Amino acid sequence: MIRYIIEAVAAAAKSSLGRLLALAVGAESTKHATGVNHMEQNGVQAQCHSFTIHSHADIAVGVTPGKRKASDEHVRPEKRFMMDNNMDIDGSAVDIGQLKNGDIDDSLYSRQLYVLGHEAMRRMGASHILIAGLRGLGVEIAKNIALAGVKSLTLFDPEPAAITDLSSQFFLHPDDVGKPRAAVTAPRVAELNAYTPVSVHPSKSLTDNMEDLRQYQVIVLTGAPLKDQLTISEFAHIHGIFLVVADVFGLFGSIFTDFGERFSIADPTGENPVSGIVAAIDSEGLVSALDESRHGLEDGDYVTFSEVQGMTALNDSAPRKIAVKGPYTFSIGDVSGLGAYERGGLYTQVKMPKVVDFEPLSKQLKKPSILESDFAKFDRPQQLHLGFQALHAFKDKHSHWPRPHNDKDATSVLQITRDMAGQGDDKVDIDEKLIRELSYQAQGDLSPMAAFFGGLAAQEVLKSVSGKFHPIMQWLYFDSLESLPTSVKRSEDLCRPKGSRYDGQIAVFGADFQEKLANVNQFLVGAGAIGCEMLKNWALIGLATGSKGNISVADMDQIEKSNLNRQFLFRPKDVGKLKADCAAAAVQTMNPELKGKITTLRDRVGSETEHIFNETFWEGLDGVTNALDNVDARQYVDRRCVFFRKPLVDSGTLGTKGNSQVVLPRLTESYSSSQDPPEQSFPQCTLRSFPNKIEHTIAWAKEKFHQYFVGPPETVNLYVAQSNYIEQTLKQSGNEIPTLESIRDFLVTEKPSNFDDCIIWARQQFEKEYNNAIRQLLYNFPKDSTTASGAPFWSGPKRAPDPLKFDANNTTHLGFVVATANLHAFNYGMAGGSDEVPEAHYKEVMENMIIPEFSPNPTVKIQADENEPDPNAQNGKSSFDDNDELEKLVSSLPPRKSLMGFKLEPVEFEKDDDTNHHIDFITAASNLRAQNYAIAEADRHKTKFIAGKIIPAIATTTALVTGLVVLELYKIIDGKDDIEQYKNGFVNLALPFFGFSEPIASPKGKYLGKEGEVTIDKLWDRFEIEDITLREFLDHFSGKGLEVMMLSSGVSLLYASFYPPNKLKDRMGLKLSQLVETISKKPIPDHQKNVIFEMTVEDQTEEDVEVPYVMLKLHK
């Protein structure tokens, strides 16, 4: 992956990194998000009781023995700020106890589990974390860690809360001013996760009694004096305690990590191990992938082999280190003595632990190892490394941070920085403007910067205790100076504290810009994970709190339990309520100045709701922010923003990957300007007969789910409801017989009368799919079959299957019958098809069944290859070629009159309800087919992920990406029109990787008019006209030097130059609105204030040229 990143950066050195970098880090797959799911209200109310932990477990991270010491002799602090005993939570005290014993609440952590995995989560669940400093950055880290789930979270900050803290500290209220930050923050952090107990570290100073720190696996320092950082760093490094230090000063921030010597990283990338089919292995150890499939490996990776014929010693041997020779080949080194390769084989990547050494802070201050955060600012990190130390030195001397925009203080900080730059072996050139700006902003406290570094620091904490993903080595500096406003003045007077909750922001931007922020009309589409974080940031920065400000939030979804793990504005008591309403209420509590400033909309934003989100709505907006998780919705909003010329900021996450994109009218391309690769699909013949990996069998099982429980019930309901359904069915080409057979089966031959019949039907499906179908396949293609060229038929991707013999004592066999029977019973609305039916009853029913002996049918044809024609296709065969069979099928159906009121219940697939048998069926069906083909099976967790197309998600990435979005929003509100000031961001916290680029400019075009060459913006430009006649329209563009060849609106062709004069005669005098209604034979809707026309034109060169569309403005 790193190789591709380097190539991407090199390719983009002189232009935008754009989508190229996104593909390098996988962030672009964030577009591949499934649609929003509806949920059932299934929260369980219970009381949460606080408990005290007296010791902690060892963390098996792979460090050297003694590195992680269990401090049983150090008793945990007794004080606990747990949730109120009357607070509603999902799960009971028993559940919490189970989690302590290593169980994980899948319903809460499901999306995070797909990022981290069970083992990493268990390690996290045994860790004790201390966070010191609870201003905006500290509470952001605490929030993310509490949501992620650790054994205990302890907070330290005895300092009194100040009004300026409210600039970024979302758990403080105005009436908390003067109270200790930790004391008021702890109970609010505890509300986030019933499984994470939260306490306050009982001390006035962390350095008073260092031995107290030995009870923690990780210490996080924010806002700590540098001398305390050094003292704690030395202690932590000696005693094997992981350390994370993070600070933000206005638009500047830094993070430092020290995980000790010999720190073992179990999985550096988090990517799924790649695997493939071997085509050949030569005598030099060169392995070729089958059919020129890219192997996806990198130099230094390790692989194992299985099912290799010839070189059998490779099978199940120790992992071999590979060297990439090309995209389709790799070398495994010396294979002498292993024999000659014959055929077959699978290779599978093996994740090998990586061991790295960290240095303590004292050494790293002198010679830092810095991870680049922005390749365009490669000279800044070293300067900021010194500048941050200079700020600490200034504070040590003056007992306060440099004052906002104070030149005297800035000069002092600059001199300290220059003095340090001249020391040591490596001299650093200092940019005076940069260091002065750092000093100006030292007292700045910005919510988006806290969000960025809070997400980053929390992820580093999770890496340290889980061994999952590669940590930062060891420093990272980041700034967003481009966000500074240029439309307003900044001065010491404008930036000085006002006694306001926004003083931390005013210190950076000034009071005038705060006024601009307060009077914005912003539209947020989506109130899920990103939406919650966005609203939190907007509340803290004071967006739309002024007299002209307003925030519109649209989301039609309800809150479900799995949302609580990362959508932090919601609580268990909110499960089942609308997201938009709950999120709006939460942030209005966070910032009361927003009361009356948020409009919640419970409708989907789409073409069907354009009467709600109409022209008046869109034209009143200043900007739009997407917080959506599916591509179609994002593209629709993008198109509306282009049409109404509104700036848009879009973002998305996929596990540890995230991206943000800015769309600016007349400056940049739009979200829809580039497309993601299509989702992977599998040939039907592979799914039907020749699967070779678990993804194939899961896709097959999901098709069976539809064929069993969705399609036939829907067809039956249509037959019952529509009087002409049979006639319409007989008009189909090729599908009439299967359709009629399914109606007959579900209404006559296989209609159950009780639940036992459903069990019988389920057992019959097992026989049909896993025995009979496989025996038929082997009849058509015996295991010793050869192809026309003489090669073995069952080779390469084709795995020879074996039929299964049903065994009621096999849990997968029985599980298939149980799930299938229950879902079949659901179709018929049968009571008794519940989990209350004991397993013994299923077995008893099946024991009394007589399974007919199967004989292969010699007339059955099976497609052998996707490139061959399907022998079962109709090939244009008339639907009336077999009238006798059709008439027989129709006559076998019960009359519709006898079915009045009868209705089957199709199953609506829902992956997150563990009681509905949906995932149970797909897991069993898939694994049985995997058994047929000797494919490694997948557990329920993995099956649910693939079948449900679940998007892995974690709060850390969401927080970080949202911070990037708000930093861009500052620029948009400022009105910046220089595209180079904006940044599209691409991150992968697992690697870690950060890439920023200026947005890609919108495409431009030209045409030759009567007055010379005219440049147009192909995306944002358009011609706007009044409601004139067609003749006036043609003359208008002729005057521009454009001769209209064709004019259309929607599917209606209104004018064509080749139309005969008598056809155009009546049209020329019609106004355009009348012309559209006449030709389309439909009135223009009352809410519609414009009509769009597309035209084909020739310019003065008499050549076709591409021009923008035309918008007719209707004054209604």
Side-chain angles (χ1 to χ4, degrees):
M1 176 170 290
I2 299 298
R3 179 180 68 253
Y4 299 130
I5 292 171
I6 293 171
E7 291 172 355
V9 172
K14 294 185 179 181
S15 64
S16 169
L17 295 178
R19 304 298 174 124
L20 192 59
L21 272 180
L23 291 174
V25 299
E28 204 45 27
S29 59
T30 54
K31 277 191 178 183
H32 289 306
T34 57
V36 181
N37 294 313
H38 300 288
M39 54 84 62
E40 293 184 5
Q41 195 167 349
N42 59 2
V44 179
Q45 293 186 349
Q47 291 186 349
C48 174
H49 303 281
S50 63
F51 54 90
T52 304
I53 303 169
H54 296 287
S55 63
H56 63 270
D58 289 340
I59 309 300
V61 185
V63 294
T64 53
K67 177 63 181 171
R68 177 61 49 244
K69 294 185 179 180
S71 303
D72 292 337
E73 69 276 15
H74 296 283
V75 179
R76 298 279 296 155
E78 294 292 335
K79 193 174 183 182
R80 282 288 177 270
F81 284 89
M82 298 297 294
M83 287 172 285
D84 185 272
N85 283 344
N86 294 320
M87 182 173 180
D88 294 335
I89 65 166
D90 281 346
S92 65
V94 175
D95 295 328
I96 298 172
Q98 289 174 342
L99 189 72
K100 287 168 61 183
N101 293 327
D103 291 341
I104 296 173
D105 186 343
D106 284 15
S107 62
L108 176 65
Y109 293 114
S110 63
R111 303 309 188 260
Q112 181 175 291
L113 277 166
Y114 292 116
V115 181
L116 300 173
H118 283 83
E119 182 58 31
M121 285 281 293
R122 289 189 186 99
R123 291 172 176 171
M124 287 161 47
S127 61
H128 302 289
I129 314 297
L130 171 66
I131 298 176
L134 289 172
R135 299 185 71 201
L137 176 56
V139 78
E140 186 73 44
I141 298 169
K143 178 257 291 181
N144 293 327
I145 291 174
L147 290 171
V150 294
K151 191 165 189 178
S152 74
L153 177 61
T154 306
L155 307 181
F156 172 80
D157 194 336
E159 295 300 314
I163 188 66
T164 189
D165 293 341
L166 275 62
S167 293
S168 61
Q169 221 283 26
F170 46 84
F171 279 151
L172 289 180
H173 305 149
D175 56 3
D176 295 324
V177 172
K179 301 175 185 177
R181 290 193 192 106
V184 294
T185 301
R188 294 161 191 171
V189 174
E191 292 180 6
L192 294 171
N193 191 344
Y195 296 129
T196 301
V198 180
S199 67
V200 172
H201 186 81
S203 174
K204 291 187 177 180
S205 171
L206 288 182
T207 56
D208 283 350
N209 187 354
M210 302 289 284
E211 286 299 310
D212 282 351
L213 302 181
R214 293 182 64 181
Q215 61 192 303
Y216 305 110
Q217 273 77 47
V218 190
I219 298 173
V220 182
L221 301 178
T222 70
L226 183 56
K227 62 179 184 299
D228 286 358
Q229 294 179 21
L230 286 164
T231 301
I232 295 170
S233 169
E234 290 301 315
F235 181 87
H237 194 82
I238 292 170
H239 292 91
I241 302 170
F242 304 137
L243 177 69
V244 176
V245 181
D247 280 305
V248 290
F249 300 101
L251 291 166
F252 299 88
S254 73
I255 186 171
F256 168 79
T257 63
D258 175 11
F259 299 164
E261 298 171 5
R262 304 295 298 165
F263 177 78
S264 180
I265 309 166
D267 182 358
T269 68
E271 299 298 326
N272 291 325
V274 300
S275 61
I277 302 173
V278 176
I281 306 175
D282 68 14
S283 59
E284 301 298 320
L286 185 70
V287 181
S288 301
L290 183 71
D291 294 336
E292 293 198 346
S293 300
R294 289 181 177 268
H295 51 66
L297 297 167
E298 297 181 14
D299 278 335
D301 284 347
Y302 286 79
V303 297
T304 57
F305 292 88
S306 61
E307 302 182 19
V308 175
Q309 297 184 34
M311 290 184 178
T312 54
L314 280 177
N315 295 329
D316 303 319
S317 63
R320 281 180 167 256
K321 190 175 182 179
I322 67 105
V324 172
K325 298 301 182 182
Y328 312 105
T329 56
F330 59 90
S331 172
I332 58 173
D334 183 18
V335 292
S336 60
L338 299 181
Y341 173 81
E342 295 176 5
R343 64 188 179 96
L346 305 173
Y347 65 86
T348 303
Q349 181 187 13
V350 178
K351 293 292 186 78
M352 303 295 284
K354 179 180 179 181
V355 177
V356 294
D357 290 321
F358 288 79
E359 293 181 338
L361 180 61
S362 56
K363 286 188 177 181
Q364 279 288 305
L365 282 175
K366 297 173 182 176
K367 197 167 185 178
S369 299
I370 300 177
L371 173 69
E372 290 285 351
S373 65
D374 189 340
F375 296 106
K377 302 177 181 179
F378 64 90
D379 59 335
R380 285 192 186 174
Q382 288 285 355
Q383 297 182 69
L384 293 178
H385 184 69
L386 299 176
F388 275 47
Q389 294 178 63
L391 289 181
H392 283 280
F394 180 96
K395 188 181 181 186
D396 287 344
K397 181 177 180 181
H398 299 281
S399 300
H400 64 79
W401 296 110
R403 290 163 291 183
H405 228 278
N406 182 280
D407 285 324
K408 181 180 177 181
D409 290 354
T411 300
S412 178
V413 171
L414 177 62
Q415 187 58 52
I416 297 171
T417 306
R418 282 175 169 163
D419 290 345
M420 288 190 292
Q423 301 171 5
D425 298 332
D426 299 324
K427 302 295 186 282
V428 179
D429 293 330
I430 298 300
D431 180 348
E432 178 177 343
K433 286 183 64 177
L434 178 70
I435 301 304
R436 283 189 175 276
E437 196 60 64
L438 175 63
S439 178
Y440 289 162
Q441 299 182 32
Q443 292 191 27
D445 189 11
L446 300 178
S447 173
M449 289 296 291
F452 180 91
F453 278 95
L456 183 58
Q459 190 66 59
E460 293 305 301
V461 171
L462 301 182
K463 290 176 184 179
S464 71
V465 295
S466 69
K468 183 87 169 183
F469 310 136
H470 201 294
I472 291 172
M473 300 290 292
Q474 291 184 243
W475 294 92
L476 179 138
Y477 289 91
F478 170 78
D479 73 80
S480 182
L481 289 183
E482 302 83 7
S483 297
L484 286 173
T486 55
S487 64
V488 297
K489 292 182 178 179
R490 294 188 304 141
S491 66
E492 185 173 3
D493 183 59
L494 288 170
C495 295
R496 73 173 71 251
K498 316 295 182 187
S500 158
R501 63 178 296 135
Y502 308 116
D503 278 354
Q505 186 165 252
I506 291 172
V508 179
F509 297 138
D512 291 349
F513 189 66
Q514 189 63 46
E515 184 69 16
K516 293 190 75 167
L517 289 172
N519 289 287
V520 167
N521 188 347
Q522 193 76 10
F523 183 26
L524 177 64
V525 192
I530 290 177
C532 283
E533 293 287 340
M534 203 70 66
L535 284 171
K536 177 250 309 185
N537 277 276
W538 291 359
L540 294 171
I541 70 174
L543 190 79
T545 54
S547 58
K548 298 178 182 178
N550 186 74
I551 295 172
S552 299
V553 185
D555 197 313
M556 63 178 292
D557 251 18
Q558 293 175 315
I559 298 164
E560 56 188 65
K561 185 178 178 181
S562 64
N563 299 150
L564 304 180
N565 174 237
R566 62 200 183 282
Q567 300 176 19
F568 89 106
L569 294 181
F570 307 141
R571 300 292 180 266
K573 61 184 175 59
D574 298 324
V575 169
K577 299 177 183 177
L578 286 169
K579 289 184 176 181
D581 292 345
C582 291
V587 295
Q588 287 175 88
T589 300
M590 193 177 290
N591 185 352
E593 293 181 19
L594 273 176
K595 288 184 177 177
K597 298 294 182 180
I598 301 181
T599 304
T600 58
L601 302 155
R602 307 173 185 181
D603 300 280
R604 185 189 303 277
V605 182
S607 57
E608 69 277 10
T609 57
E610 289 184 0
H611 61 290
I612 298 171
F613 303 98
N614 53 27
E615 284 85 350
T616 302
F617 174 84
W618 284 97
E619 287 168 357
L621 299 175
D622 293 315
V624 181
T625 302
N626 266 351
L628 295 162
D629 63 356
N630 70 90
V631 177
D632 291 341
R634 293 160 85 172
Q635 289 179 333
Y636 174 80
V637 173
D638 175 68
R639 290 194 299 271
R640 300 303 277 173
C641 287
V642 170
F643 182 79
F644 291 103
R645 292 170 175 161
K646 300 297 178 182
L648 167 70
V649 189
D650 188 275
S651 59
T653 68
L654 183 71
T656 59
K657 302 164 187 172
N659 74 303
S660 62
Q661 179 181 356
V662 188
V663 177
L664 302 166
R666 297 186 173 90
L667 286 179
T668 73
E669 68 173 13
S670 73
Y671 174 85
S672 305
S673 296
S674 59
Q675 300 294 325
D676 288 332
E679 290 189 35
Q680 184 182 22
S681 60
F682 305 116
Q684 277 301 309
C685 69
T686 298
L687 298 185
R688 283 197 297 254
S689 305
F690 309 112
N692 58 63
K693 55 185 179 180
I694 197 65
E695 288 80 3
H696 294 157
T697 68
I698 292 174
W700 177 87
K702 197 165 183 191
E703 282 192 2
K704 289 299 172 184
F705 183 93
H706 187 275
Q707 291 172 15
Y708 286 174
F709 314 118
V710 184
E714 289 177 343
T715 302
V716 167
N717 291 342
L718 289 172
Y719 169 71
V720 174
Q722 298 179 7
S723 59
N724 64 339
Y725 184 75
I726 293 296
E727 290 76 10
Q728 293 297 321
T729 299
L730 295 180
K731 292 179 182 179
Q732 299 175 18
S733 177
N735 294 323
E736 56 277 316
I737 290 179
T739 300
L740 293 174
E741 285 178 339
S742 69
I743 297 173
R744 178 203 62 196
D745 293 344
F746 269 66
L747 287 179
V748 183
T749 58
E750 297 178 359
K751 181 181 178 182
S753 58
N754 52 46
F755 187 67
D756 286 1
D757 288 345
C758 295
I759 298 174
I760 293 170
W761 185 82
R763 172 66 181 86
Q764 291 170 341
Q765 303 315 305
F766 179 100
E767 200 69 19
K768 173 184 173 184
E769 303 293 354
Y770 305 110
N771 182 25
N772 300 353
I774 300 301
R775 290 173 63 184
Q776 180 69 57
L777 179 63
L778 292 174
Y779 174 83
N780 286 55
F781 305 108
K783 290 190 175 183
D784 57 357
S785 298
T786 57
T787 64
S789 63
F793 179 84
W794 294 106
S795 62
K798 290 186 172 69
R799 302 175 65 84
D802 292 296
L804 298 182
K805 183 177 181 180
F806 184 79
D807 179 2
N809 294 316
N810 182 301
T811 55
T812 307
H813 293 205
L814 182 61
F816 173 84
V817 172
V818 171
T820 305
N822 277 275
L823 290 169
H824 196 54
F826 177 88
N827 286 148
Y828 289 89
M830 285 187 179
S834 68
D835 291 331
E836 296 177 0
V837 178
E839 285 187 4
H841 184 73
Y842 288 93
K843 295 178 179 179
E844 181 183 351
V845 172
M846 290 186 288
E847 283 176 2
N848 294 324
M849 288 179 62
I850 297 176
I851 304 298
E853 183 61 32
F854 174 77
S855 296
N857 185 344
T859 66
V860 169
K861 297 179 181 179
I862 298 175
Q863 185 180 10
D865 189 275
E866 62 181 288
N867 297 319
E868 296 180 2
D870 185 350
N872 299 304
Q874 295 297 310
N875 297 321
K877 178 181 176 182
S878 169
S879 61
F880 295 99
D881 286 354
D882 201 348
N883 284 329
D884 289 343
E885 185 174 354
L886 287 172
E887 289 178 6
K888 187 176 180 180
L889 280 170
V890 171
S891 64
S892 69
L893 303 181
R896 288 182 58 256
K897 291 182 179 180
S898 67
L899 299 170
M900 297 303 292
F902 179 83
K903 185 180 180 181
L904 292 181
E905 187 68 36
V907 175
E908 184 176 346
F909 179 65
E910 171 51 61
K911 60 184 176 293
D912 286 320
D913 182 353
D914 290 339
T915 66
N916 63 13
H917 299 286
H918 297 187
I919 296 298
D920 294 334
F921 169 82
I922 293 174
T923 303
S926 167
N927 284 338
L928 288 171
R929 191 158 177 84
Q931 291 175 18
N932 281 138
Y933 288 86
I935 297 170
E937 300 175 34
D939 61 15
R940 191 181 190 280
H941 181 70
K942 181 176 180 179
T943 303
K944 177 179 176 179
F945 175 68
I946 297 172
K949 296 183 178 179
I950 289 176
I951 301 172
I954 190 168
T956 52
T957 314
T958 305
L960 185 149
V961 167
T962 308
L964 293 178
V965 169
V966 178
L967 290 172
E968 297 306 306
L969 184 61
Y970 282 143
K971 304 172 188 178
I972 293 171
I973 294 171
D974 184 45
K976 296 183 189 298
D977 57 8
D978 180 2
I979 194 172
E980 294 183 0
Q981 297 301 305
Y982 291 90
K983 297 279 189 179
N984 287 345
F986 311 95
V987 302
N988 187 339
L989 297 184
L991 295 179
F993 171 82
F994 301 85
F996 296 94
S997 67
E998 68 184 54
I1000 297 174
S1002 53
K1004 305 298 189 290
K1006 296 178 181 180
Y1007 70 84
L1008 185 62
K1010 287 190 174 180
E1011 297 181 2
E1013 193 173 75
V1014 179
T1015 300
I1016 56 172
D1017 190 307
K1018 292 183 178 181
L1019 179 63
W1020 296 99
D1021 280 346
R1022 63 178 175 236
F1023 298 108
E1024 296 185 1
I1025 58 171
E1026 299 297 324
D1027 196 7
I1028 56 180
T1029 65
L1030 176 59
R1031 168 54 64 196
E1032 291 170 331
F1033 178 91
L1034 299 175
D1035 292 342
H1036 173 77
F1037 283 99
S1038 180
K1040 293 177 176 289
L1042 298 172
E1043 300 301 322
V1044 179
M1045 299 291 104
M1046 287 191 290
L1047 178 69
S1048 63
S1049 179
V1051 296
S1052 301
L1053 183 59
L1054 309 176
Y1055 168 83
S1057 60
F1058 53 78
Y1059 276 176
N1062 61 338
K1063 188 170 185 177
L1064 294 175
K1065 180 180 178 182
D1066 294 336
R1067 300 187 183 190
M1068 286 297 187
L1070 293 178
K1071 288 192 172 184
L1072 293 174
S1073 60
Q1074 295 173 319
L1075 181 62
V1076 169
E1077 293 181 327
T1078 300
I1079 303 302
S1080 69
K1081 299 179 181 179
K1082 294 179 181 178
I1084 298 171
D1086 291 338
H1087 69 269
Q1088 190 172 324
K1089 294 186 177 181
N1090 54 67
V1091 180
I1092 303 303
F1093 298 90
E1094 300 285 347
M1095 58 182 183
T1096 303
V1097 300
E1098 292 180 354
D1099 68 356
Q1100 295 299 288
T1101 65
E1102 297 187 356
E1103 297 288 337
D1104 288 346
V1105 291
E1106 184 180 349
V1107 294
Y1109 65 88
V1110 181
M1111 186 179 82
L1112 165 63
K1113 295 184 291 184
L1114 300 174
H1115 299 285
K1116 294 186 178 181

